Each structure stands twice: as C-alpha cells, then as structure tokens.
C-alpha cells in the first residue's frame, strides 16, 4: 500500500479531531486510478467563514467529513478531511468508513470528473451517541 501524501494538516482547536487519518484513507482508496496524483488536506472546518462553521457546530447541523474533488491547481485530485467535535469522532469515523464502497464506485466509474463528499448531521449522531452511552452497547 502506498500512502497518499498529506499536503497540509491544520492544528485543531481543543476538543476537535479528524475522523480518519492518511493511512486509513489510503488503504480504503487504494487502487483507484483517479487518485494516483492525489493529496490529502486536513482542515479544521468545512466552511471558509469560521462563524458559519461555528454556527453549524452549535446548532448540531450538517457538516462535511470528507470531500474528493479535482485539484484547484494542476492535475490530480484533492482529498479534504474535516474535523468534528471529539464527542462525534466515533460516529464520524463510522460514517466515512461506511461510505467508502460508494466513493470507490463513483470514482471508478466517473474517472477524473467525479466529485464525492460525505456529510453527517450532528444532531442525528447525538441521538446515537446518547443511546450508546446509556446502554453501553450500540444502542440499535
């Protein structure tokens, strides 16, 4: 397995984490021709404006966890990974991992033109997290 190079990794504010690292992403996306020249960008927020991102977090709204798109400059692809509040890291990790088959299929069939993303609604994950905490199991 070859590791997809990391282009940048933002230092995170306290209480935030990335759902997956470069090794897990590289393993899940290994062998996709469209990603041969890809780079991973780890960013602490999925919005340009910090205030808009903070509002989404405060309202437990929809956040982007992972986005794969054509590079803004040059050839190749960019894989963007966005941070979540630490209490949602397990749910975010599970969400991204469950979407890798769809991502692989989309990138294999769409070649270089496919753009994919994985999102999560924090309020829905909060319900799952509370059920799991209370029961000590999956809660489902």
């Amino acid at each position: 397995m070859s590791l997809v190079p990391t282009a940048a990794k933002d230092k995170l504010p306290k209480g935030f984490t990335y759902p997956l690292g470069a090794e897990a992403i590289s393993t899940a996306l290994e062998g996709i021709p469209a990603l041969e020249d890809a780079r991973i960008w780890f960013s602490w927020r999925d919005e340009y404006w910090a205030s808009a991102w903070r509002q989404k977090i405060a309202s437990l709204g929809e956040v982007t966890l992972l986005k794969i798109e054509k590079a803004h400059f040059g050839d190749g692809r960019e894989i963007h990974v966005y941070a979540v509040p630490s209490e949602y890291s397990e749910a975010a990790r599970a969400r991204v991992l469950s979407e890798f088959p769809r991502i692989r299929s989309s990138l294999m069939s769409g070649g270089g033109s496919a753009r994919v993303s994985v999102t999560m609604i924090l309020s829905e994950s909060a319900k799952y997290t509370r059920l799991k905490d209370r029961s000590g199991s999956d809660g489902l």
Side-chain angles (χ1 to χ4, degrees):
M1 177 200 71
S2 72
L3 201 60
V4 176
T6 298
K9 189 170 188 177
D10 291 350
K11 184 176 178 184
L12 295 177
K14 185 176 180 170
F16 286 84
T17 188
Y18 293 111
L20 290 174
E23 187 173 345
I25 293 166
S26 298
T27 299
L29 300 177
E30 186 174 21
I32 298 175
L35 298 179
E36 288 175 355
D37 295 324
R39 299 278 184 265
I40 301 175
W41 300 76
F42 290 92
S43 303
W44 67 281
R45 63 181 196 264
D46 66 353
E47 291 274 347
Y48 177 77
W49 301 106
S51 59
W53 180 77
R54 285 189 182 103
Q55 178 59 36
K56 286 196 311 187
I57 298 297
S59 67
L60 299 179
E62 184 175 30
V63 295
T64 302
L65 305 173
L66 180 99
K67 179 173 60 174
I68 302 173
E69 62 188 357
K70 187 178 179 322
H72 295 292
F73 301 104
D75 295 328
R77 311 282 281 172
E78 293 179 351
I79 301 169
H80 296 272
V81 180
Y82 301 103
V84 294
S86 296
E87 62 267 28
Y88 298 99
S89 64
E90 188 177 331
R93 184 176 305 108
R95 174 80 174 131
V96 174
L97 289 172
S98 74
E99 288 291 319
F100 275 134
R102 176 186 66 85
I103 292 168
R104 287 187 67 81
S105 175
S106 179
L107 291 172
M108 293 296 271
S109 65
S113 63
R115 179 181 176 174
V116 295
S117 64
V118 177
T119 62
M120 180 174 83
I121 299 171
L122 294 176
S123 62
E124 292 175 4
S125 299
K127 294 174 194 170
Y128 168 77
T129 302
R130 282 194 300 272
L131 286 172
K132 184 172 181 179
D133 288 346
R134 270 193 231 135
S135 68
S137 66
D138 284 347
L140 301 176

